[in-house]
Amino acid sequence: LVDIRNYEIKTDHLYSVTPKLDPDAFLLALATGWEEYNLLPGEVNVFFEGTFVGKSYIDPNEIKDTLSVSLGRDKRIIVKREKLKDFSSQKFIGINRRGSYAYEISIRNTKDEPIKIIVEDQIPISQDNQIEVTLGELGGSKLNNETGKMEWNFSIQPSETKKIVYKFEVKYPKEIERE
């Protein structure tokens, strides 16, 4: 193998986590001004802080204004998602069941520097008119009403822990099995 080009590009760093799917935070490098390098589509080796972190594929024709490259998992960002039992319950009301659900996501930054992070989660969206989802507290998230995706963007200082709580209710007929 022969290096064709070797670029050192200044990037902003952002963490992304979806604790419902994976409790690990992923570090992303975001580069603007990448157009000046005349990149060709192909595989790239990614190094971070002098260490090889993996391979990626870049297609400049598919990239808009910001080039985003994953730098892998960072175990120094500790994320937990827990169901809050004090606020979660199942009740029978007439011919319906009503389930109340509450979750808490906690994010702890054990690094020596502040971080920017995007946290994503999702609430159910009913496709059946017999099932009704009522939103409760959403912890200040940006909600996509079509997909139920919630997103929080914030910074966390070193040794700081942020907590997010969100709640919702689902009402459905007794004969429908819940999953």
Side-chain angles (χ1 to χ4, degrees):
L1 296 176
V2 176
D3 282 346
I4 296 172
R5 287 268 157 76
N6 185 354
Y7 293 119
E8 199 166 309
I9 301 174
K10 180 164 174 35
T11 59
D12 291 322
H13 294 112
L14 174 70
Y15 285 89
S16 178
V17 65
T18 307
K20 181 178 183 178
L21 302 176
D22 191 328
D24 288 341
F26 291 83
L27 179 59
L28 302 172
L30 306 173
T32 54
W34 58 269
E35 300 89 349
E36 67 187 69
Y37 297 106
N38 295 320
L39 300 175
L40 297 172
E43 191 175 82
V44 295
N45 292 322
V46 181
F47 291 83
F48 179 60
E49 295 177 343
T51 304
F52 176 74
V53 293
K55 293 181 179 283
S56 186
Y57 185 85
I58 294 177
D59 185 354
N61 301 321
E62 299 294 320
I63 302 169
K64 296 195 171 49
D65 61 343
T66 303
L67 171 64
S68 176
V69 177
S70 175
L71 300 178
R73 299 171 190 266
D74 191 335
K75 297 290 188 181
R76 296 173 293 179
I77 310 303
I78 300 165
V79 181
K80 290 182 185 168
R81 178 182 185 262
E82 298 175 308
K83 189 175 188 180
L84 297 175
K85 298 203 184 311
D86 292 346
F87 297 100
S88 299
S89 65
Q90 293 287 323
K91 298 176 188 171
F92 292 99
I93 301 172
I95 61 167
N96 291 316
R97 288 184 186 187
R98 183 177 296 270
S100 297
Y101 304 91
Y103 291 90
E104 178 181 79
I105 301 171
S106 64
I107 305 105
R108 179 160 178 76
N109 178 10
T110 64
K111 296 175 53 117
D112 296 338
E113 58 200 39
I115 63 164
K116 293 179 188 172
I117 191 164
I118 294 176
V119 180
E120 296 177 330
D121 211 315
Q122 187 176 26
I123 58 167
I125 298 295
S126 176
Q127 302 297 322
D128 184 336
N129 60 3
Q130 293 182 313
I131 301 171
E132 182 182 315
V133 178
T134 306
L135 304 179
E137 175 186 338
L138 295 181
S141 73
K142 286 189 261 177
L143 174 66
N144 179 327
N145 289 315
E146 292 178 17
T147 63
K149 179 179 163 186
M150 298 179 294
E151 184 178 285
W152 296 267
N153 294 304
F154 48 83
S155 296
I156 304 177
Q157 297 303 313
S159 301
E160 181 183 10
T161 299
K162 290 248 185 186
K163 294 188 181 213
I164 300 167
V165 175
Y166 66 93
K167 302 173 185 176
F168 60 91
E169 286 188 348
V170 180
K171 183 175 121 183
Y172 54 96
K174 286 181 189 177
E175 64 270 3
I176 295 179
E177 286 291 320
R178 74 179 182 103
E179 295 179 16

